[in-house]
Amino acid sequence: MTSVNVPGLAPWRDTTRTTDDRVEALLAELTLEEKVAQLGSVWIQTDEPGNQAPLQDLFMDPGKLEDRLERGVGHLTRVFGTAPVTPAEGAARLRSLQERVMAANRLGIPAIAHEECLTGFATYGATAYPTPLAWAATFDPGLVERLAGAIGADLRAVGVHQGLAPVLDVVRDYRWGRVEESLGEDPYLVGQLGAAYVRGLEGAGIVATLKHFAGYASSRAARNHAPVSIGPRELADVVLPPFETALHEGGARSVMNSYTDLDGVPVGASVDLLRRLLREEWGFGGTVVADYWAVPFLASMHGVAEDDAAAGAVAMLAGIDVELPETVGYGEHLVAHVRADRVAESLVDESVRRVLRQKVELGLLDGGPLVPGGADEVDLDGPRNRELAMTLAERSIVLLDNPEGLLPFDPEGNARIAVVGPCADDPRVLLGCYSFPNHVLDRYPEHGMGLPVASIRERLADEFPHADVRHALGVDVWGGDASGIGEAVAVVEEADVALVFVGDRAGLFGGGTSGEGCDAADLRLPGLQPDLVEAVLATGTPTVLVVVSGRPYALGAYKDRVAAVVQAFFPGVEGAAAVAGVLSGRVNPSGRLPVQIPVSPSINPTTYLQPPLGRRADGITVLDPTPAYAFGHGLSYSAVEYLDIVTDRAELPTDGTVEVRVTVRNTGARPAEEVVQLYASDPVAQVARPALQLVGFARVALVPGERRAVVFEVPADAFSYTGIDLRRVVEPGTIVLAAGPSAAEPPLRSVVRLRGETLVLGSRRRLTTRTRTEEA
């Protein structure tokens, strides 16, 4: 593109120029103080703050706003997401703040407005979708991309530019409070769904932010913010691949650092991660933004800087471009570091270029309205959103067990149904920690939920209009009051069947049983819920256990004593109808487990991705980590048979591709959606490898009697791993491919052999197994 000078127009505002020209022109115009201002942020509280970020009250800046905006600002933090404001109020507030930002700085540069969007746009009255762990249970990247596109459209419609999602932390310990925010325990699944979310958000014009880079979910004892002590091979083969996929195949333009320290080095101070790996090896050109307060935490929590001022220098040298959510370590401190030659101005210039590039790409320097026309009238919970929320919820619910076929219930029947448990009649238990009702509105009880959300009890009454549905709470989600168990037992004893709804209520920093800062000591159901379940089972009434939770809980004690088990991972605003639909059979369940369900609450649970020594070892130890329900498991009201697996070749080069054809048939009487899963194992390698690992998956719709073939185009790169010398290699040898409905002994197996020289892979390896379905 040839640049054309427009008379009287500043070159950085001239849309006929290239992006690079506009960025360099503006950068050249800025003073050092103005440059550094572009790397800071402002969070304006409308009232007495409650903690929406760790230790928030320690760092909030009470200074006069105009003084904080005098030389400009990089980001405005959560204008919509801090307090209950309507879309009209939020749009007016953002418009006013942007005008003040532009008026206060010499060159009139607006700010990037960012918001949380993990379970939807985290603002008052916006649709609260199922939590990411529920997205993962759908095994449906296309649906996740649609979801992100809808969220992005809502953000863009009210003037927001950047969304702080998705979370790409691979679950390593189910006790961690933020399991609900994750996409599961398998790096391939996390990467594919994460990239899909990024494509949807970026396609709507919103900057997607990958978090938390890296290792955050691998903390000791599953404690939030705890140190991480994993080896470089686990980091390379389990933790990093989802980020790599979401950058290279999703196109994310921002990455957020993890709070943790990794082998003693805080990620916010890690030149190796933020500059060498992310920039040099992966070629990332977007912005690295600090997780909230991560810069001052380098001093107060990690002790690698003397004070906030020194922390700013450490963070800049490591590679953090933008400090969020407030300017604490950057600002005047960073200016002083540059003046004293402790930080090179060229490093500041690199970060400012990245911020300015995004401002150009977002149209912030084009002179148009910064808040779109019509933002005051945007419906953030309209029919499109509700339809998506329902589809996600329905596809995410997992039928774990139904040995005698008690489910589904007849929706026209007149059975006596006992509905007990703390998750039956509280709509908040359907929503995740980062949904606005649980994230913010718990401090504003007068606002209720902020949008219509039915409880499961209400939707059961709709689903079974002729049944005699009776309810008793039994116990709360957590707490020590057992006085209601007797009433619950009385209701159950008079019923034909008992539906027991147990699980979590999400919150922040101890305000719930799941969510940020709500880590668990073990995997028992919280509070006195185990006592309630035992009391119901003792009645002898056929019992369906429905777990509505943000993490998997140990169900081994109930597995062989209940008539059926259903798992719903915080299914969102339409979750109650989806659960009721599964119980009635209106919805044929098709969700699959993105995390295993443990047997025991006290044996330190392990994810499925284990070498042989991490699996059951009779004669070596009496502790058995075998799960109650395996990764990928899920039943339906139909039956799908796995017929055969065929490869298009017996041998392939180490840089080749093998086509794997898996044929399945619906042998039941109902249409079904099967998630066909392909696993690989490497029996002999330089290092101990997982006994099996997911390398491909596909949802396939099958009418009764139909046969379909799922064809997986598997690159040899899928069999790569970090070798003995810490280089990623594909080496010659035998690979065992296995296909089935879960990771528990897939029924179909085939062997291929890799031939040729050991191949050392670069940074642009093939990350995705392409799939297609064909008639069989």
Side-chain angles (χ1 to χ4, degrees):
M1 176 177 173
T2 303
S3 296
V4 178
N5 293 327
V6 177
L9 187 66
W12 55 86
R13 296 194 181 278
D14 184 353
T15 59
T16 68
R17 292 174 177 263
T18 65
T19 298
D20 286 344
D21 283 350
R22 296 174 70 184
V23 168
E24 292 303 321
L26 181 51
L27 181 66
E29 185 70 21
L30 296 175
T31 66
L32 174 61
E33 289 78 6
E34 289 169 337
K35 291 177 187 176
V36 168
Q38 291 298 311
L39 308 181
S41 57
V42 168
W43 194 0
I44 301 163
Q45 299 286 339
T46 56
D47 57 9
E48 192 66 28
N51 277 359
Q52 296 166 258
L55 306 181
Q56 175 179 328
D57 52 336
L58 297 181
F59 297 110
M60 292 303 297
D61 188 343
K64 186 178 177 183
L65 180 59
E66 269 65 29
D67 293 340
R68 294 155 69 192
L69 301 179
E70 181 181 2
R71 292 184 175 87
V73 66
H75 276 239
L76 290 172
T77 295
R78 300 193 68 179
V79 175
F80 286 85
T82 300
V85 295
T86 66
E89 292 167 338
R93 186 169 175 235
L94 180 57
R95 189 179 293 113
S96 172
L97 283 171
Q98 289 282 31
E99 289 171 353
R100 292 172 74 177
V101 168
M102 290 188 292
N105 74 87
R106 178 175 63 93
L107 298 175
I109 304 170
I112 292 172
H114 75 256
E115 295 285 347
E116 296 284 0
C117 60
L118 193 65
T119 60
F121 184 3
T123 191
Y124 186 67
T127 306
Y129 294 98
T131 200
L133 195 61
W135 315 345
T138 71
F139 278 68
D140 192 337
L143 183 58
V144 171
E145 186 170 345
R146 279 180 58 205
L147 163 72
I151 294 170
D154 284 345
L155 292 166
R156 193 69 174 171
V158 295
V160 176
H161 311 108
Q162 183 161 348
L164 303 187
V167 169
L168 299 182
D169 296 299
V170 178
V171 173
R172 303 301 283 161
D173 190 323
Y174 309 129
R175 297 172 298 174
W176 189 50
R178 305 186 79 166
V179 168
E180 63 169 84
E181 300 179 39
S182 79
L183 291 165
E185 66 184 57
D186 179 82
Y188 183 77
L189 178 66
V190 175
Q192 292 302 306
L193 296 178
Y197 185 91
V198 168
R199 286 193 295 270
L201 207 62
E202 290 280 356
I206 298 296
V207 175
T209 310
L210 310 183
K211 59 187 192 182
H212 307 88
F213 186 77
Y216 189 36
S218 303
S219 57
R220 295 178 193 164
R223 293 177 59 246
N224 194 36
H225 286 218
V228 170
S229 300
I230 60 175
R233 186 167 291 102
E234 183 178 348
L235 180 70
D237 289 352
V238 178
V239 172
L240 294 177
F243 292 94
E244 193 176 0
T245 303
L247 288 176
H248 291 162
E249 301 198 0
R253 286 182 283 173
S254 191
V255 171
M256 176 179 279
N257 77 289
S258 163
Y259 284 129
T260 194
D261 76 57
L262 195 56
D263 193 26
V265 180
V267 174
S270 177
V271 175
D272 184 64
L273 280 175
L274 301 183
R275 291 197 183 276
R276 184 200 62 78
L277 177 67
L278 193 58
R279 300 289 186 199
E280 296 173 15
E281 187 171 330
W282 288 357
F284 177 59
T287 56
V288 174
V289 300
D291 203 345
Y292 285 16
W293 317 119
V295 172
F297 281 172
L298 294 174
S300 62
M301 294 186 71
H302 294 293
V304 298
E306 184 176 359
D307 52 26
D308 294 344
V314 172
M316 173 54 58
L317 291 169
I320 290 181
D321 297 313
V322 180
E323 183 180 7
L324 299 182
E326 270 280 356
T327 307
V328 178
Y330 283 5
E332 63 184 9
H333 298 311
L334 188 52
V335 170
H337 288 309
V338 174
R339 299 281 189 219
D341 291 329
R342 292 186 291 268
V343 173
E345 188 168 357
S346 60
L347 288 182
V348 171
D349 287 350
E350 288 178 11
S351 292
V352 176
R353 281 190 181 93
R354 297 179 191 119
V355 173
L356 295 181
R357 170 171 287 277
Q358 290 187 352
K359 291 190 174 185
V360 170
E361 291 171 345
L362 292 164
L364 295 181
L365 303 181
D366 294 353
L370 295 174
V371 177
D376 299 354
E377 308 298 327
V378 171
D379 183 358
L380 297 177
D381 191 37
R384 174 205 62 182
N385 291 8
R386 286 287 174 153
E387 181 273 328
L388 261 174
M390 178 65 82
T391 301
L392 272 159
E394 290 178 348
R395 294 189 187 180
S396 72
I397 294 171
V398 186
L399 177 61
L400 295 177
D401 234 340
N402 191 28
E404 298 177 5
L406 180 66
L407 293 180
F409 300 135
D410 180 3
E412 299 301 320
N414 57 2
R416 295 171 300 173
I417 302 175
V419 175
V420 303
C423 294
D425 203 29
D426 179 1
R428 285 185 184 271
V429 303
L430 302 169
L431 310 182
C433 168
Y434 268 75
S435 67
F436 196 78
N438 287 339
H439 201 70
V440 174
L441 288 183
D442 59 340
R443 296 186 287 113
Y444 300 89
E446 69 276 12
H447 287 272
M449 297 285 286
L451 74 171
V453 187
S455 72
I456 294 174
R457 178 190 178 189
E458 291 172 310
R459 287 294 177 251
L460 286 172
D462 296 338
E463 198 78 23
F464 302 100
H466 307 297
D468 181 7
V469 179
R470 299 185 183 182
H471 170 258
L473 174 66
V475 297
D476 290 325
V477 169
W478 75 103
D481 184 1
S483 62
I485 292 180
E487 180 188 359
V489 166
V491 170
V492 169
E493 287 178 331
E494 296 179 355
D496 300 314
V497 66
L499 301 180
V500 184
F501 293 91
V502 294
D504 284 316
R505 186 185 184 284
L508 281 171
F509 309 116
T513 58
S514 175
E516 185 172 2
C518 299
D519 312 312
D522 58 43
L523 293 173
R524 293 175 181 87
L525 289 166
L528 297 180
Q529 293 181 84
D531 295 354
L532 174 64
V533 175
E534 290 291 348
V536 170
L537 291 174
T539 67
T541 301
T543 299
V544 176
L545 186 66
V546 182
V547 184
V548 183
S549 65
R551 65 164 61 83
Y553 283 102
L555 302 181
Y558 319 122
K559 185 176 187 293
D560 298 324
R561 301 161 61 201
V562 294
V565 188
V566 175
Q567 173 69 59
F569 295 113
F570 291 151
V573 292
E574 295 291 345
V579 169
V582 165
L583 296 176
S584 74
R586 176 175 53 82
V587 175
N588 193 2
S590 61
R592 300 294 184 264
L593 286 176
V595 287
Q596 300 193 125
I597 305 292
V599 171
S600 168
S602 53
I603 297 173
N604 187 25
T606 56
T607 66
Y608 94 98
L609 204 62
Q610 298 292 326
L613 283 182
R615 295 161 73 90
R616 179 172 178 164
D618 293 335
I620 295 176
T621 175
V622 297
L623 298 182
D624 182 1
T626 303
Y629 303 101
F631 175 84
H633 172 76
L635 306 176
S636 79
Y637 299 138
S638 198
V640 175
E641 182 182 7
Y642 281 71
L643 298 175
D644 60 36
I645 181 171
V646 178
T647 62
D648 69 339
R649 63 195 66 191
E651 297 183 352
L652 67 152
T654 51
D655 62 353
T657 299
V658 61
E659 195 168 89
V660 185
R661 184 182 179 91
V662 178
T663 304
V664 294
R665 179 176 60 197
N666 182 352
T667 59
R670 298 185 51 158
E673 288 199 8
E674 179 70 4
V675 178
V676 178
Q677 299 157 47
L678 183 67
Y679 295 88
S681 59
D682 188 351
V684 180
Q686 298 174 18
V687 299
R689 301 285 295 128
L692 78 171
Q693 182 168 359
L694 187 71
V695 294
F697 62 89
R699 284 182 74 103
V700 56
L702 299 164
V703 299
E706 184 180 16
R707 296 163 56 113
R708 298 286 291 175
V710 178
V711 181
F712 299 91
E713 298 174 11
V714 189
D717 293 5
F719 313 132
S720 68
Y721 65 92
T722 301
I724 200 78
D725 61 358
L726 297 182
R727 296 188 299 172
R728 179 170 289 279
V729 296
V730 182
E731 61 181 354
T734 298
I735 298 293
V736 179
L737 297 166
S742 78
E745 300 301 326
L748 303 179
R749 291 180 180 270
S750 183
V751 174
V752 294
R753 186 159 187 86
L754 294 170
R755 294 288 191 187
E757 298 296 321
T758 296
L759 184 67
V760 178
L761 297 182
S763 60
R764 298 306 294 239
R765 62 193 173 100
R766 294 168 294 175
L767 295 158
T768 296
T769 295
R770 307 299 176 191
T771 64
R772 66 181 189 273
T773 60
E774 298 177 347
E775 293 184 3

